[in-house]
Amino acid sequence: MLIEINCASDFLCRYVASASSCTPQIMESFKSQIMALMQEKYTNHWDPQRPHYGNGYRAITSFGGKVDPLLCQAAQKSDLPLETLEGHIPRDLVLWVEPFNVSFRVGDHGSINTIYDSTRGKVSMKPDNTITPPQFHQKNGLNTINGRPSYAARISPPPSPPNRAARISHAIPITSPLTKSQVITPSATPSPPSSKIAIMAH
């Protein structure tokens, strides 16, 4: 859990770090508060066996100018002005923090971008590790991050169980006035007359 929370808090801090009112001390405190509040919130809602279970509860959101209460609480505890937080966190942001994966989306129709994947490690949004907010643009109908196209991370459903062919019965039901039902199976089908010619003994 700590790896995912650390990656999520780093990502969120990139947005507000460029504000003039954010000193290194405030940013360090802000990140610590985010991590502490996330850990407290996720303690009983974190199941590595079912990573997507409870993802809506753990998600950090910003809709209609209303920043997630967890971020507002972290800002208040770290002396970060709420105006700064609300002015730098993008609208319609959703940040999913799940076991083994951290991803985000900006806009209802935006791409889902991966921040951390346990199979690849932390995904850097820029070539260097400077704390700056990613720049989102549209080019030829595609979302781009810092001038490079970003693509949705497709989550495939679990594989279906092997398709076992149903056994097809070749039995032919035949009704008879003598019995209610009679089933003739292939083994009960009479054999055709033999084509061999009988040899008469002299």
Side-chain angles (χ1 to χ4, degrees):
M1 181 193 297
L2 293 179
I3 296 177
E4 290 87 349
I5 288 176
N6 182 67
C7 292
S9 59
D10 276 344
F11 173 77
L12 291 168
C13 287
R14 294 183 181 187
Y15 286 110
V16 298
S18 59
S20 58
S21 58
C22 292
T23 64
Q25 292 77 16
I26 290 179
M27 291 309 307
E28 183 178 354
S29 177
F30 182 54
K31 178 183 176 180
S32 299
Q33 292 296 334
I34 292 176
M35 293 186 64
L37 292 172
M38 281 185 173
Q39 188 171 3
E40 179 182 355
K41 182 177 181 179
Y42 299 165
T43 296
N44 297 321
H45 299 270
W46 191 269
D47 187 357
Q49 301 299 325
R50 297 180 295 175
H52 302 299
Y53 186 76
N55 60 356
Y57 173 80
R58 293 188 301 268
I60 303 298
T61 61
S62 173
F63 291 129
K66 295 182 179 180
V67 180
D68 196 283
L70 185 146
L71 296 182
C72 294
Q73 189 177 353
Q76 291 174 346
K77 291 185 175 182
S78 57
D79 296 329
L80 176 67
L82 290 179
E83 295 79 10
T84 301
L85 179 66
E86 295 172 351
H88 286 76
I89 296 295
R91 296 171 62 90
D92 299 332
L93 168 70
V94 183
L95 176 65
W96 291 281
V97 185
E98 303 176 352
F100 315 118
N101 183 273
V102 180
S103 57
F104 75 98
R105 184 189 68 195
V106 177
D108 291 338
H109 304 287
S111 299
I112 300 176
N113 302 279
T114 301
I115 301 171
Y116 169 77
D117 188 304
S118 61
T119 61
R120 294 184 293 165
K122 187 174 181 181
V123 180
S124 177
M125 302 303 296
K126 292 191 67 177
D128 56 9
N129 293 324
T130 56
I131 252 179
T132 53
Q135 301 297 318
F136 298 91
H137 301 284
Q138 284 264 341
K139 183 177 181 180
N140 297 329
L142 292 175
N143 290 330
T144 61
I145 300 179
N146 298 325
R148 293 180 295 178
S150 63
Y151 302 94
R154 299 183 183 274
I155 301 174
S156 302
S160 302
N163 185 16
R164 298 180 179 178
R167 296 181 179 179
I168 302 176
S169 174
H170 296 283
I172 305 174
I174 299 177
T175 59
S176 170
L178 299 178
T179 59
K180 292 184 178 180
S181 63
Q182 180 180 3
V183 177
I184 300 178
T185 62
S187 60
T189 305
S191 302
S194 175
S195 59
K196 294 183 180 180
I197 301 175
I199 302 175
M200 303 296 294
H202 295 282

